[in-house]
Amino acid sequence: MNYTTQMDAAKKGIITRQMELVAQKERMEVTRLRDLIAEGKVVIPANKHHTSLAPEGVGAGLRTKINVNLGVSKDCCDLDLELEKARKAIDLKAEAIMDLSCYGKTQEFRRKLIDFSPAMIGTVPMYDAVGMLDKELKDITADEFFQVVERHAQDGVDFMTIHCGINRATAERIKRNKRLTHIVSRGGSLLFAWMELNQRENPFYEQYDRLLDLCEQYDVTISLGDACRPGCIQDATDASQIEELITLGELTKRAWERNVQVMIEGPGHMALNEIAGNMMLEKRLCHGAPFYVLGPLVTDVAPGYDHITSAIGGAIAAANGADFLCYVTPAEHLRLPDLEDMKEGIIASRIAAHAADIAKGIPGAREWDNAMSAARADVNFPKMIELAIDPEKARRYRESSAPEAEDTCTMCGKMCPMKNMKKLMNGEDLCIK
């Protein structure tokens, strides 16, 4: 039986190779996974042209996934460095990489990335439009925007962030209800500017069916971008954000009618006490579609440490229903991240995702922690390092400060409670002088 997309296959009762692989990874019955895809509650972003892909699922009942942003800009245009970052991100078990390149040989970089990456690849075509077309923003036509989207789809991009939900009505609301940080979404601000400069409707909203045609043809998952996401905690959960979310819910249903897979993007910056409510609103207004969040960052005063502010918010968001975390690095708001920034961001996001998976009862999540606890009780440092989320750093710390006895560390020494309790429970004597 033929099918066009993973969702189309699921609705027809077909179990695809991608579904089988994801079900195995997730310890889920493949028929259950298929049903969740048919309902739109799980997506498997898998462009038909991405042949190196090791597919992953995003959504209800699955492990929380993380995404890594990279790509060149006019100020930092080292393609080799960005490819090195991509390889490192894959080594660190990131499930997705978003190429946010906006300058130079963007297609060359994108194709190289897709050729070797087993991680799913996402892009924001709006970023690429100005550079690729070499035109002023106001002079780009609607047809040219769609040409950029089609080129990304042909190259094998698995999911695209497209800001379809910011229309002229929402733009007017933003102007009437002043925000502290206005629009902080780069793609959203570009579309807002295009609409204002041309006094025309957002082409991705106005010609949404045309976008769905392309997504259906290549099985590209739409990540419905949140142009009105809050860029500071003061702007969170305001009228503009919620109005756009309602529109995204309507667009989700239209995509599902065409068997196009959908994710919803969310905040942003947000106080701790608003996170759970926002996750509930998204799931309700967008009919259970997978939710992809940037952070949320829970305070605005920690530049240089925003991988931590993001991990705090991300853990709470995922525990309350978010399915996909976009990493944030220590360089957020300051500069393009380097390799070490990227690593710190990935590890922080993976910790947040895993903490949420424990809270959500994802199969296998607690087993990892229990294995680490057993190694600690056994005072087995090699095993602890092997099980660490970042074995390299754990090993470096261990080797940097040698204890008197190998089965202790330099904090507790012979007073190590794990070592002493192990001896006592085995009926052995103690010598802690």
Side-chain angles (χ1 to χ4, degrees):
M1 191 182 295
N2 294 328
Y3 60 90
T4 55
T5 67
Q6 294 293 319
M7 186 177 223
D8 182 38
K11 287 180 180 179
K12 290 175 177 175
I14 299 170
I15 293 173
T16 66
R17 179 183 65 86
Q18 291 86 355
M19 292 179 202
E20 290 175 344
L21 292 170
V22 170
Q24 186 176 8
K25 290 179 183 179
E26 300 288 347
R27 303 188 189 183
M28 178 180 281
E29 289 291 334
V30 71
T31 53
R32 173 62 178 150
L33 178 66
R34 179 198 62 199
D35 292 346
L36 288 168
I37 294 168
E39 295 169 12
K41 293 178 180 177
V42 167
V43 297
I44 300 179
N47 188 308
K48 295 171 182 177
H49 292 176
H50 189 177
T51 56
S52 61
L53 178 69
E56 295 283 355
V58 179
L62 309 185
R63 288 177 297 109
T64 306
K65 307 307 188 298
I66 71 161
N67 170 71
V68 169
N69 290 338
L70 46 78
V72 295
S73 68
K74 190 171 184 178
D75 290 317
C76 298
C77 195
D78 187 337
L79 293 177
D80 291 334
L81 175 59
E82 296 308 300
L83 286 171
E84 184 183 356
K85 286 183 188 177
R87 292 187 177 94
K88 186 65 173 178
I90 292 164
D91 289 343
L92 291 170
K93 302 179 181 179
E95 290 91 2
I97 295 171
M98 286 200 80
D99 171 20
L100 305 186
S101 296
C102 57
Y103 179 78
K105 298 178 180 179
T106 55
Q107 186 174 45
E108 176 186 328
F109 176 72
R110 184 167 60 249
R111 286 180 171 176
K112 284 182 178 179
L113 182 60
I114 291 167
D115 280 346
F116 78 78
S117 175
M120 52 184 157
I121 301 299
T123 58
V124 187
M126 194 69 195
Y127 294 178
D128 196 24
V130 175
M132 191 186 94
L133 297 168
D134 194 25
K135 297 175 73 172
E136 286 296 330
L137 176 65
K138 67 180 175 61
D139 297 327
I140 298 174
T141 67
D143 286 344
E144 287 172 329
F145 281 135
F146 281 97
Q147 287 170 17
V148 176
V149 171
E150 184 161 20
R151 182 172 296 184
H152 283 223
Q154 289 171 340
D155 288 343
V157 171
D158 302 299
F159 66 99
M160 295 185 202
T161 293
I162 302 182
H163 299 85
C164 306
I166 182 168
N167 52 29
R168 295 198 71 184
T170 304
E172 288 302 315
R173 186 176 293 278
I174 290 169
K175 289 188 285 186
R176 290 196 307 270
N177 298 273
K178 299 298 184 184
R179 298 174 124 196
L180 191 56
T181 53
H182 309 296
I183 295 178
V184 299
S185 159
R186 194 189 330 175
S189 66
L190 290 170
L191 275 168
F192 178 90
W194 187 91
M195 289 190 288
E196 290 292 298
L197 291 167
N198 291 288
Q199 290 299 295
R200 290 186 57 191
E201 184 57 273
N202 174 0
F204 296 118
Y205 177 77
E206 189 174 46
Q207 301 183 53
Y208 187 58
D209 287 328
R210 184 176 179 182
L211 177 63
L212 296 179
D213 288 340
L214 292 172
C215 292
E216 183 181 22
Q217 182 179 350
Y218 297 95
D219 198 1
V220 172
T221 298
I222 300 179
S223 188
L224 287 171
D226 53 338
C228 299
R229 71 171 182 262
C232 64
I233 60 173
Q234 180 63 28
D235 292 341
T237 326
D238 70 351
S240 301
Q241 178 195 330
I242 301 305
E243 180 176 60
E244 183 183 34
L245 188 60
I246 292 169
T247 302
L248 297 184
E250 294 168 349
L251 295 175
T252 296
K253 281 191 167 182
R254 287 176 59 187
W256 288 347
E257 290 169 2
R258 296 286 303 278
N259 298 317
V260 172
Q261 300 185 97
V262 176
M263 296 187 290
I264 307 296
E265 293 190 13
H269 295 235
M270 184 166 289
L272 280 170
N273 60 309
E274 295 184 49
I275 295 174
N278 268 261
M279 300 306 107
M280 181 274 291
L281 274 175
E282 185 280 336
K283 289 291 184 176
R284 187 63 178 256
L285 294 175
C286 296
H287 322 293
F291 200 17
Y292 173 28
V293 296
L294 176 66
L297 283 68
V298 295
T299 178
D300 300 326
V301 298
Y305 298 90
D306 277 329
H307 59 311
I308 297 173
T309 66
S310 170
I312 294 168
I316 296 169
N320 284 279
D323 307 288
F324 196 15
L325 303 181
C326 185
Y327 93 147
V328 173
T329 78
E332 185 78 8
H333 304 111
L334 301 171
R335 63 170 169 83
L336 195 74
D338 62 18
L339 264 171
E340 187 58 30
D341 296 327
M342 188 191 75
K343 179 181 175 181
E344 291 292 312
I346 290 173
I347 296 300
S349 291
R350 285 191 60 205
I351 292 169
H354 179 63
D357 287 349
I358 294 169
K360 289 191 283 192
I362 297 297
R366 277 184 180 267
E367 292 176 15
W368 184 7
D369 293 74
N370 291 343
M372 175 64 85
S373 298
R376 286 178 174 152
D378 196 38
V379 204
N380 184 341
F381 283 96
K383 188 66 175 177
M384 291 182 226
I385 291 168
E386 177 190 328
L387 289 166
I389 200 165
D390 182 1
E392 179 187 325
K393 188 171 187 178
R395 183 176 295 106
R396 187 169 73 248
Y397 272 56
R398 173 70 179 164
E399 292 174 352
S400 70
S401 184
E404 181 182 353
E406 287 188 5
D407 57 350
T408 65
C409 75
T410 53
M411 176 173 280
C412 296
K414 290 184 177 181
M415 287 186 281
C416 172
M418 292 294 194
K419 176 180 178 178
N420 293 334
M421 285 303 300
K422 179 183 177 182
K423 285 190 170 186
L424 288 169
M425 297 300 284
N426 289 333
E428 299 176 34
D429 200 2
L430 292 182
C431 179
I432 59 174
K433 281 187 178 181

